[in-house]
Amino acid sequence: MGAYASAYERSITDPTRFWGLAARDIRWLTPPDRVLDDGAPPFYRWFTGGELNTCDNALDRHVEEGRGGQQALIYDSPVTGTRRGYTYRELRDEVALFAGALRGLGVERGDRVVIYLPMVPEAVISMLACARIGAVHSVVFGGFAARELAVRVDDARPKVVVSASCGIEGTRVVAYKPLLDRALELAAHKVRHCVILQRPQARADLVRPRDLEWDEALEGARPAGCVPVAATDPLYILYTSGTTGRPKGVVRDNGGHAVALRWSMRNIYGAGPGDVFWAASDVGWVVGHSYIVYAPLLTGCTTVLYEGKPVGTPDAGAFWRVAAEHRVKILFAAPTAIRAIRKEDPQGRLPAGYDLSALDALFLAGERLDPDTCRWAERVLGRPVIDHWWQTETGWPIVANPRGLEPMPVRAGSPTVSVPGYDVRVLRPGGVEADPGEDGDIVLRLPLPPGTLPTLWQDDERFVESYLTRHPGHYLTGDGGHLDEDGYVWVMGRTDDVINVAGHRLSTGTMEEVLAAHPAVAECAVIGVHDELKGQVPRGLVVLKSGSPAGPAVDAGRVREELVRAIREQIGPVASFKEVAIVPALPKTRSGKILRGAMRGIADGHDVPVPPTIEDPTVLEELRAILRPPGAAAGG
């Protein structure tokens, strides 16, 4: 039995022993009484009775163990022309001082702090400072709309909000303070204090005495020590993107989170102490929480904090420049980022201009990785390209190629196999397990492993209703797909992206694979739209590569014909695929997910508002005329 198969079997048959051994990598102030507390299903808790401090494990222990002079954090900001490094000792001291400042503002163990910051070191410092004193942080993506920020403030009820005067999106300066002021006007909960980082690109007006500048908060502050917290105490609340009404606050605990993330770095990513790890995401998203801040620092790695874009800051070689300059071993990005780079550099010439000898692998997650993008990245980088799949709710990978445990053969289109700890099943609508190759609901048999959500913030009932009722005894991921004969998992998209064409269940993800394989296509989306006869029919939207010969109308028509023919040949006439629109861009969230639901609603004639998570609202507005069904009113 190989290393992966052995580890996986042990994790499922004896999770207490498996995770008990993994917990030895964490410094406990009080060892746990029980590894898995299964006394109140479906609410399982890990490492009950144990006490620790996550900041202590991320910073202090490394200083005490001789890594104080190693780089802990590298800040690289092409939008401001700034590069700055922090050793573990320097970062610990900065965090301890700001933790003391928060305490001076009345923040104690269990209190909440909302963090509304751009990609600056102060974001990392604020998160770790909360962890240091046992406070619960809730990071909201910088620049999020005022109403969305307000509902998160009302749900978390923070004592303090930490924000900045502005963020920088490419070449655009986004003033944060007016958004924050408006959010606090809308919120019913009244925040006692706001700490504002003044940036030179745009200074903010302060509302005294509520507001004070970052430097003012530090004046007279005394460094705070690490406060012991229970393993089951919350470390943070992270609200799921795209929610409407009252948001879902995913809770992450301290103990299980630390154990799982530390385990994942070595066994999934193959990263260890001293390695440089770069997650090209944002601290406002789960990837930023897990793999910019906590996992690399818990492991003793050097983590990169990048304030820039994959293209335009200054060009499509930005990622390769950062990877080369900082000797990055593991790069973690979203497929959208790689597709954006590919669109600008379709021949893949730019990586050759940089020394990428330190780069071991490129990991991609956040949305489905189409095989064509995977193969392109493998070709131009000459490195393994590892697809893996997980969610805000799980906090770390569900399905991955366990590079540090036992590298598996890559199958383009599959994120590979179930990670130890996750019992992944595919169920039919009635709860019966699907056959190999048969699509169904991807679920996780309970109990979930450490590091996953134990519940939603102050809403156990909604947690059960949202995730645990459709298939009792299982967590519903909301994604559909199948397992093949070898246990590889194939995630074909959200279950609402499975369309029903004249009684046939078809995956839009499979159709997207076919479209993406066309040499002129940079990226694409397929949505199911209402049809009076068939129930639903698929509609394709494609973005062409820069310099593609399919620019003139006659060539665009040819590309459309070729795409329709490809679907007919590779999936069959049953798909009833007849419509393809060539568009300049696809609407996406700030984390890079394509807004298929919004496009589907518009195509069905619904009055779809601009989602608060959208990166560029103009893209969706331009698509309304293309997607709107015949006879629908303008603006709908």
Side-chain angles (χ1 to χ4, degrees):
M1 184 180 291
Y4 162 74
S6 175
Y8 186 77
E9 182 181 27
R10 285 184 283 112
S11 76
I12 300 302
T13 60
D14 193 357
T16 295
R17 177 169 171 75
F18 183 87
W19 291 112
L21 291 172
R24 294 179 182 179
D25 286 336
I26 298 302
R27 181 156 82 173
W28 297 91
L29 304 174
T30 302
D33 298 328
R34 298 182 67 179
V35 174
L36 171 60
D37 184 347
D38 57 359
F43 298 96
Y44 298 89
R45 302 311 302 264
W46 290 93
F47 309 110
T48 52
E51 287 191 326
L52 75 162
N53 182 278
T54 296
C55 182
D56 171 61
N57 276 275
L59 299 177
D60 297 65
R61 73 175 293 189
H62 299 308
V63 176
E64 295 168 21
E65 293 172 1
R67 291 192 173 275
Q70 179 195 310
Q71 291 275 286
L73 176 69
I74 297 171
Y75 170 54
D76 189 308
S77 173
V79 297
T80 62
T82 305
R83 288 170 200 151
R84 188 160 75 244
Y86 295 78
T87 65
Y88 269 95
R89 183 175 292 105
E90 290 168 341
L91 188 57
R92 179 203 61 183
D93 292 348
E94 294 260 7
V95 167
L97 188 60
F98 191 64
L102 289 176
R103 180 169 283 168
L105 295 174
V107 178
E108 299 292 343
R109 173 178 170 175
D111 290 335
R112 276 79 60 207
V113 175
V114 163
I115 299 170
Y116 183 63
L117 284 168
M119 287 288 285
V120 292
E122 289 79 4
V124 178
I125 290 167
S126 298
M127 294 167 72
L128 291 167
C130 291
R132 192 173 191 84
I133 59 176
V136 181
H137 64 70
S138 184
V139 181
V140 179
F141 184 87
F144 221 48
R147 189 189 70 82
E148 297 302 313
L149 176 56
V151 295
R152 285 153 176 77
V153 166
D154 275 339
D155 198 64
R157 301 180 64 81
K159 274 191 178 177
V160 172
V161 174
V162 183
S163 189
S165 57
C166 69
I168 304 166
E169 293 286 330
T171 59
R172 185 169 60 101
V173 174
V174 180
Y176 282 10
K177 189 56 166 48
L179 295 171
L180 173 60
D181 289 341
R182 178 58 179 155
L184 296 184
E185 289 175 6
L186 294 171
H189 173 73
K190 298 308 172 188
V191 174
R192 295 183 187 179
H193 298 286
C194 296
V195 179
I196 306 299
L197 175 70
Q198 295 281 19
R199 304 190 76 188
Q201 291 79 14
R203 292 187 64 82
D205 294 329
L206 302 185
V207 178
R208 301 290 190 178
R210 183 195 70 191
D211 300 346
L212 66 162
E213 295 186 8
W214 179 279
D215 293 339
E216 290 178 315
L218 295 179
E219 290 176 5
R222 300 181 60 182
C226 295
V227 173
V229 299
T232 53
D233 280 349
L235 170 67
Y236 69 76
I237 307 163
L238 182 59
Y239 292 97
T240 52
S241 61
T243 55
T244 57
R246 186 171 175 227
K248 290 179 183 174
V250 170
V251 174
R252 199 78 65 213
D253 65 13
N254 276 271
H257 173 260
V259 172
L261 290 192
R262 179 70 183 85
W263 186 92
S264 75
M265 286 293 283
R266 179 176 64 246
N267 292 283
I268 295 176
Y269 300 100
D275 289 335
V276 181
F277 190 96
W278 176 27
S281 182
D282 191 284
V283 293
W285 310 123
V286 70
V287 171
H289 281 58
S290 295
Y291 293 105
I292 295 176
V293 182
Y294 287 111
L297 297 179
L298 288 166
T299 305
C301 294
T302 299
T303 186
V304 178
L305 182 77
Y306 175 68
E307 187 182 26
K309 298 288 186 181
V311 298
T313 57
D315 56 31
F319 274 22
W320 320 134
R321 190 273 300 169
V322 173
E325 188 170 316
H326 304 302
R327 306 295 294 165
V328 170
K329 179 181 180 180
I330 301 296
L331 170 55
F332 180 157
T336 289
I338 304 305
R339 285 193 288 266
I341 293 168
R342 180 187 179 191
K343 183 182 177 186
E344 297 301 314
D345 181 27
Q347 301 305 312
R349 296 190 176 99
L350 289 174
Y354 298 95
D355 177 7
L356 298 177
S357 57
L359 185 65
D360 184 65
L362 169 65
F363 280 79
L364 299 174
E367 59 182 310
R368 191 165 183 278
L369 173 61
D370 60 281
D372 204 36
T373 298
C374 179
R375 287 189 286 264
W376 180 87
E378 287 175 334
R379 178 178 63 80
V380 302
L381 292 176
R383 303 287 191 283
V385 176
I386 310 301
D387 185 14
H388 60 322
W389 170 68
W390 49 295
Q391 302 176 324
T392 297
E393 289 86 349
T394 65
W396 62 289
I398 303 169
V399 178
N401 194 325
R403 292 273 299 165
L405 191 63
E406 180 188 356
M408 311 284 281
V410 172
R411 296 182 182 178
S414 168
T416 315
V417 292
S418 305
V419 169
Y422 289 98
D423 190 347
V424 179
R425 309 286 180 97
V426 177
L427 301 182
R428 295 169 181 160
V432 177
E433 286 203 41
D435 294 328
E438 179 186 1
D439 281 347
D441 291 333
I442 301 179
V443 300
L444 311 176
R445 191 168 69 89
L446 300 180
L448 297 178
T452 56
L453 81 169
T455 188
L456 296 174
W457 176 248
Q458 297 185 332
D459 204 340
D460 289 349
E461 183 178 341
R462 192 176 183 197
F463 169 64
V464 173
E465 179 186 339
S466 298
Y467 302 107
L468 307 179
T469 55
R470 181 163 175 172
H471 297 291
H474 300 80
Y475 164 88
L476 181 70
T477 68
D479 280 289
H482 61 268
L483 293 166
D484 66 19
E485 295 280 359
D486 299 316
Y488 276 60
V489 181
W490 298 78
V491 184
M492 304 312 295
R494 300 298 293 176
T495 50
D496 56 6
D497 287 337
V498 175
I499 62 174
N500 193 314
V501 181
H504 299 279
R505 287 170 56 84
L506 300 172
S507 166
T508 56
T510 303
M511 297 184 209
E512 289 175 4
E513 279 189 15
V514 176
L515 300 187
H518 192 285
V521 173
E523 59 180 347
C524 63
V526 175
I527 59 174
V529 299
H530 178 72
D531 182 81
E532 290 291 337
L533 181 62
K534 299 178 181 290
Q536 283 182 301
V537 292
R539 180 181 293 182
L541 297 99
V542 300
V543 179
L544 301 181
K545 296 175 183 174
S546 295
S548 168
V554 61
D555 291 330
R558 177 177 55 79
V559 170
R560 289 191 190 95
E561 292 173 359
E562 290 171 353
L563 294 174
V564 170
R565 188 183 315 123
I567 294 287
R568 185 179 181 88
E569 291 174 353
Q570 296 183 45
I571 296 179
V574 67
S576 192
F577 186 87
K578 300 174 182 176
E579 294 187 49
V580 181
I582 293 177
V583 298
L586 295 173
K588 299 172 185 174
T589 67
R590 295 184 182 95
S591 63
K593 290 186 172 64
I594 296 172
L595 290 163
R596 292 175 174 83
M599 292 192 292
R600 189 165 50 244
I602 293 169
D604 283 342
H606 301 308
D607 185 13
V608 176
V610 176
T613 53
I614 195 168
E615 182 178 36
D616 184 357
T618 61
V619 173
L620 189 61
E621 294 304 324
E622 290 172 358
L623 288 180
R624 287 188 190 274
I626 298 171
L627 295 171
R628 190 181 303 122

